[in-house]
Amino acid sequence: MTEVFVLRLSHRKDRDKRVTTHCALVARAFLAKKIYYTGDKDEKFEKKVMDVARRWGGPFEIEYVKDWKKLIKNFDGIKVHLTMYGTPLNKKIDEIKQANKILVIIGSEKVPGIAYELADYNISITTQPHSEIAALAIFLDRVFEGKEFDHEFSNAKVKIIPQEKGKKVISLSQQPRKKSTQ
Ligand code: SAM
């Protein structure tokens, strides 16, 4: 299976904490291996995401990077920058899916021009402005062709048993942990 890594540019600790956390949670849930981030180092964000990964299963990693240009240059796979100005995903997805390793780059504030140059592909998920969270989710779903729906996370401590109504979460180490009918 293709290995996907995410690079989140320009994290601003105060402004972006929820959005960057959601990017990381989407990356994990939609089967990316790891998220790198640049901008402000944020231990709270790292802890929050890794707490989720420990509880809901893994493996998943987070790494803060100072020199993101170096990371992109040295990455030994294809580099895909998601931007509304790029080539529509539908035109390139078959080509992109052939890669063994993909680095997906997503921005927050204005993305420096060099990112467009360093990327092998600049890809739009519609040519309308929206969000890095949505763009990342759609991109990963297309790369993995929906496999995230059936994925069982290794070493999970809890697991949801889907219900038509209400919530059922079981503990994988002991007996059913929580049951409610909300
Ligand atoms: N204004 C910024 C710029 O000009 O680079 C982009 C801000 S946008 C809120 C943050 C990120 O969401 C972008 O860097 C891009 O990765 C992603 N994004 C937003 N809309 C997108 C789209 N239609 N297609 C692909 N990515 C998109």
Side-chain angles (χ1 to χ4, degrees):
M1 195 161 93
T2 308
E3 290 191 314
V4 183
F5 300 78
V6 177
L7 169 60
R8 161 52 158 180
L9 297 176
S10 312
H11 169 65
R12 295 159 296 182
K13 219 171 174 169
D14 297 325
R15 278 192 63 174
D16 297 327
K17 56 180 185 255
R18 285 198 75 220
V19 176
T20 306
T21 300
H22 289 176
C23 289
L25 295 181
V26 162
R28 178 192 160 275
F30 287 71
L31 311 185
K33 296 256 167 221
K34 174 168 180 168
I35 187 164
Y36 298 97
Y37 74 103
T38 70
D40 298 339
K41 168 104 173 119
D42 188 343
E43 265 130 34
K44 252 187 170 168
F45 148 68
E46 292 186 23
K47 183 177 177 313
K48 204 180 226 173
V49 174
M50 291 319 289
D51 283 349
V52 171
R54 265 186 289 276
R55 192 163 140 75
W56 291 90
F60 187 71
E61 292 173 51
I62 301 189
E63 185 180 332
Y64 175 74
V65 285
K66 265 207 161 111
D67 192 344
W68 57 272
K69 290 171 214 146
K70 193 170 156 194
L71 176 83
I72 299 177
K73 283 179 195 158
N74 291 343
F75 185 78
D76 59 343
I78 61 163
K79 302 121 190 184
V80 179
H81 169 221
L82 300 183
T83 164
M84 65 179 178
Y85 304 106
T87 309
L89 179 64
N90 287 350
K91 292 209 156 81
K92 293 286 180 187
I93 186 64
D94 291 340
E95 204 173 306
I96 288 171
K97 275 195 306 199
Q98 303 305 313
N100 293 325
K101 274 179 92 173
I102 303 174
L103 180 68
V104 197
I105 304 154
I106 47 175
S108 56
E109 54 185 358
K110 193 174 182 332
V111 174
I114 182 80
Y116 293 74
E117 298 304 320
L118 293 174
D120 298 307
Y121 298 89
N122 288 291
I123 293 293
S124 58
I125 313 280
T126 79
T127 50
Q128 302 299 312
H130 51 82
S131 122
E132 50 274 49
I133 306 169
L136 180 62
I138 298 282
F139 178 79
L140 292 173
D141 178 67
R142 294 295 164 91
V143 167
F144 291 121
E145 301 169 328
K147 289 190 186 73
E148 68 276 9
F149 282 91
D150 301 316
H151 186 76
E152 295 282 342
F153 284 85
S154 57
N155 300 319
K157 294 192 173 63
V158 291
K159 179 182 171 176
I160 289 173
I161 307 298
Q163 306 291 297
E164 295 230 349
K165 292 187 182 178
K167 306 174 189 173
K168 185 170 181 182
V169 182
I170 58 165
S171 163
L172 295 174
S173 39
Q174 293 153 23
Q175 291 304 304
R177 196 173 171 276
K178 194 176 168 191
K179 203 174 176 182
S180 77
T181 50
Q182 276 179 4

